[in-house]
Amino acid sequence: FTQLDEAFDLADRIPVPPGRYDVQRLTIFAGSSPSRRIGGGLAVRTSDEWDGRLDLLDLRTRVSIGKHLTTGVGWTVSRADLPGGAFTAHVLGFRASWAFSTRLVTRAFIQYNSLDQKWITNLRLRFIHRPGSDLYVVFNDEQGEEGEPGRLVSRGFAVKGTWLVRF
């Protein structure tokens, strides 16, 4: 069971009042080895929670092309049907990674959330200048909200360095 001391809104949409809720959950998942050239995974979850039903389907694919490039696509469908309302959300994601060498890697992640009508982009460059010491250059971008899918919400650029000091 779950004991809620305070109310909250599930996905900022469905009110869940405080109280004691019985929980029953079933999850089934399967996946291939990450060492394979082509792989993926599947997860299915159904649960009775908050006096309603929550269902989830998550599919992932991954393809390694040569020694340097890895790509993947993911799709998650979440469905909630509670006394206070219902929704279905689709989240689509794309990942790509290019390893220039064992010390220099760039990664990209792009995601779309149908419930919030948001696009999220994350680009990252990692340089390992010596073991335990890294330099990251990161760009993040978030666009869209309900009713305005192209609106810029936030954008950021960061540089982070870590140095391992041995003594």
Side-chain angles (χ1 to χ4, degrees), residues 50-129:
W50 304 309
D51 290 338
R53 185 176 180 113
L54 302 173
D55 298 312
L56 176 123
L57 171 66
D58 185 53
L59 299 167
R60 303 268 170 223
T61 63
R62 186 190 72 273
V63 178
S64 296
I65 303 165
K67 295 179 182 180
H68 302 283
L69 179 62
T70 302
T71 63
V73 177
W75 175 47
T76 303
V77 181
S78 302
R79 186 173 175 281
D81 189 3
L82 303 177
F87 68 81
T88 300
H90 298 267
V91 177
L92 300 166
F94 171 76
R95 293 179 188 276
S97 177
W98 179 267
F100 295 95
S101 69
T102 57
R103 297 176 55 185
L104 182 63
V105 177
T106 186
R107 294 176 193 235
F109 176 66
I110 301 169
Q111 176 179 285
Y112 177 71
N113 181 330
S114 70
L115 192 62
D116 297 326
Q117 296 181 344
K118 275 190 181 173
W119 285 95
I120 296 172
T121 303
N122 173 269
L123 306 173
R124 181 176 64 192
L125 178 74
R126 178 183 184 194
F127 174 62
I128 303 169
H129 51 93

Side-chain angles (χ1 to χ4, degrees), residues 128-146:
I128 303 169
H129 51 93
R130 68 174 199 230
S133 300
D134 307 291
L135 176 68
Y136 292 92
V137 179
V138 180
F139 172 77
N140 289 312
D141 183 80
E142 183 178 338
Q143 294 186 22
E145 56 186 36
E146 269 189 278

Side-chain angles (χ1 to χ4, degrees), residues 145-156:
E145 56 186 36
E146 269 189 278
E148 292 186 68
R151 182 178 174 272
L152 177 64
V153 175
S154 69
R155 183 172 284 160

